[in-house]
Amino acid sequence: MPPRMQPTARQQRLGAELRKLREAAGMTAREAAGLLGTNPMHMSHVESGKAGVSEERVRRLASNYACADSDLIDALVTMATERGRGWWEEYRGVLGSGFLDLAELEHHATFLRSVEIVTIPGLMQTEEYARAVFGYMVPELAQAEIEPRVAHRMRRRRVITGDSPITYEVVIHEAALRFRVIDSKLACDQIQLILELSEADNISVRVIPFSVDGFAGANCSMLHAGGPVPQLDTVQRDALLGGIFMDAQSQVARFIKVFRKVEAAALGEDESRVFMRRMLDEL
């Protein structure tokens, strides 16, 4: 079977985790290939996500790598043996791979934590807000390009509102709530949606007011997606040319600390709802 031309971020993550286990065991790719009866090139494709790997091979590698973490091994096996196409595959060839990778990351997450300073979190945006954001891009997108992006963003929300919603903790700065991407009516509609979502048991929304002293976290926007085991947690951050996925445990640990620091500056959940209702009266 020829190698995948464009492996997904999740396929790349599986390969990267297998490479980490091999390197921790002090084995070369050639030695690992020998364990599977294959060649170093194929092993390279496995570790880059360009080639699939069976459950039996994952377990054989883990055993020879002396990995005793059964939960991690089971999680890697699940990643290796996943079958079927997620809903985001409907957008392949329509949207860039970054859109699909983010939806897949959220779909498989056990929880989500988000910090947003100047924009409303994608999972909480109204259609009008999302349409305004995509319509502001340079160069401008044609309407036919905007609508699939909006529809995709709205569908992503099911991970926190669907039949099996996951826990979602979000910290939003007052700046994001006050920016009028169109007008005051849209700002009110957007805050109203956040208030409605915040009433769900699995969703926690906390606001950082402008009046808070000592907050210097204007560059702290991020999404932390929990994996089935902590080693498979991922942090996603927006960048000029698309999102960046970070999965090194040192990076993830750093952003967990950042989240807790930002969270400490925010109002409590009830106070945040009172604050947002007051904003509605002002707008």
Side-chain angles (χ1 to χ4, degrees):
M1 183 178 294
R4 299 166 177 144
M5 296 304 294
Q6 291 184 316
T8 68
R10 187 167 173 83
Q11 291 166 342
Q12 292 175 328
R13 179 66 182 277
L14 171 61
E17 292 301 322
L18 292 174
R19 184 186 69 249
K20 290 177 188 177
L21 292 180
R22 174 179 62 76
E23 292 174 345
M27 296 181 65
T28 66
R30 181 175 295 277
E31 291 171 330
L35 295 173
L36 302 183
T38 187
N39 57 65
M41 178 62 73
H42 182 261
M43 196 66 210
S44 175
H45 287 328
V46 168
E47 293 184 348
S48 65
K50 293 181 178 179
V53 58
S54 67
E55 173 179 356
E56 189 275 333
R57 287 190 162 193
V58 170
R59 294 193 183 279
R60 187 192 307 175
L61 289 173
S63 177
N64 283 276
Y65 294 160
C67 176
D69 190 333
S70 60
D71 290 338
L72 173 60
I73 296 170
D74 288 344
L76 295 179
V77 166
T78 296
M79 294 173 71
T81 58
E82 288 168 348
R83 296 292 183 268
R85 294 162 59 87
W87 64 263
W88 50 89
E89 290 294 335
E90 298 173 18
Y91 291 87
R92 190 168 297 281
V94 179
L95 301 180
S97 60
F99 289 89
L100 281 60
D101 288 338
L102 178 57
E104 186 176 39
L105 175 70
E106 293 170 338
H107 175 80
H108 291 287
T110 55
F111 65 82
L112 294 170
R113 296 188 183 115
S114 177
V115 175
E116 291 294 347
I117 306 301
V118 295
T119 59
I120 301 300
L123 293 178
M124 291 186 153
Q125 292 178 7
T126 66
E127 286 191 29
E128 292 78 9
Y129 187 103
R131 192 170 288 110
V133 170
F134 288 126
Y136 206 75
M137 296 179 67
V138 177
E140 290 186 11
L141 295 172
Q143 197 64 30
E145 296 287 327
I146 293 175
E147 292 310 311
R149 285 165 167 77
V150 174
H152 177 271
R153 181 159 291 183
M154 296 304 103
R155 197 163 177 183
R156 282 171 47 208
R157 186 178 298 148
R158 296 183 187 179
V159 298
I160 59 172
T161 61
D163 294 336
S164 300
I166 61 175
T167 299
Y168 184 40
E169 298 177 69
V170 58
V171 178
I172 309 176
H173 197 278
E174 181 181 351
L177 299 171
R178 287 198 178 276
F179 275 128
R180 299 187 182 187
V181 299
I182 294 182
D183 54 27
S184 61
K185 180 184 183 302
L186 175 57
C188 288
D189 291 344
Q190 181 60 75
I191 292 174
Q192 187 61 52
L193 174 61
I194 295 173
L195 280 167
E196 292 171 5
L197 292 171
S198 73
E199 297 292 343
D201 292 338
N202 63 304
I203 298 176
S204 168
V205 179
R206 299 179 61 185
V207 176
I208 301 176
F210 278 122
S211 59
V212 169
D213 292 330
F215 178 71
N219 64 341
C220 291
S221 296
M222 67 167 193
L223 174 69
H224 174 202
V229 292
Q231 298 97 311
L232 296 180
D233 282 11
T234 303
V235 167
Q236 187 263 356
R237 301 197 76 189
D238 289 333
L240 184 61
L241 299 178
I244 299 173
F245 286 33
M246 294 176 284
D247 53 49
Q249 287 186 272
S250 59
Q251 292 176 318
V252 174
R254 172 173 174 262
F255 282 103
I256 290 175
K257 290 181 180 178
V258 169
F259 180 84
R260 294 308 179 196
K261 192 169 185 177
V262 170
E263 186 181 48
L267 301 173
E269 293 181 51
D270 291 339
E271 293 175 292
S272 295
R273 278 190 281 267
V274 170
F275 185 87
M276 287 187 283
R277 291 188 185 106
R278 189 181 304 126
M279 286 186 64
L280 286 176
D281 293 336
E282 295 172 3
L283 292 169

